[in-house]
Amino acid sequence: QPVVMGFGIVPVLWVVGFLWVAGKHLRRDPEEVKDMIGSGHVATWAIKDFCWAQNALAPALLSDIGTIALLIYGGVRETGSWRGLDRTDAAWVVWTFSNFTWILCEVKYDDNLPLRYVSAALAAVAFVLLALGRDHVRRRDTQGHEAEDLKQPLLV
């Protein structure tokens, strides 16, 4: 139960923080508000886990889709373009989709074994993408997202 409560508290704290940032910065610096929206995937991920722990299928799946959308939005915001999305962004999206299939496996299809294998395969793909994107993450952290070499896609 404490874990489930934690999943419920995280989105509430994010909303409070978002409202504080939006109220303080919306007129002066709308980019700050956009950055806060870009971090919203943490809140939607926690909502997904909260709903999943309650076996609430539709809200969990909708939260997962929202997480994917916000992960992509955040990646585009951070790099400045769709072309800036890289393997690490793809890794988080694939991992989140792995969660989507796992939720279906547990809640809707009564722990269906083939669907569990699909989820595990997606999680493995996400891990490989993340491992392959390790150097890019280091460059992004040390050089900032404005560095010219980071504007090249690393998905291919």
Side-chain angles (χ1 to χ4, degrees), residues 19-94:
L19 292 173
W20 180 77
V21 167
K24 190 172 182 176
H25 297 285
L26 187 57
R27 291 200 173 131
R28 282 190 337 226
D29 187 9
E31 295 302 310
E32 187 80 25
V33 176
K34 291 177 185 175
D35 286 342
M36 185 74 177
I37 293 169
S39 69
H41 65 276
V42 175
T44 55
W45 193 301
I47 291 169
K48 180 253 318 173
D49 285 341
F50 177 79
C51 294
W52 185 1
Q54 304 298 321
N55 288 324
L57 181 64
L61 296 178
L62 288 172
S63 296
D64 216 36
I65 291 168
T67 300
I68 290 171
L70 288 171
L71 283 167
I72 293 169
Y73 173 80
V76 170
R77 277 281 301 147
E78 183 179 354
T79 62
S81 75
W82 284 93
R83 289 181 47 86
L85 294 175
D86 61 26
R87 289 182 191 120
T88 56
D89 297 311
W92 295 121
V93 168
V94 172

Side-chain angles (χ1 to χ4, degrees), residues 124-136:
V125 168
F127 174 77
V128 169
L129 285 169
L130 193 58
L132 291 173
R134 183 171 167 246
D135 290 335
H136 191 259

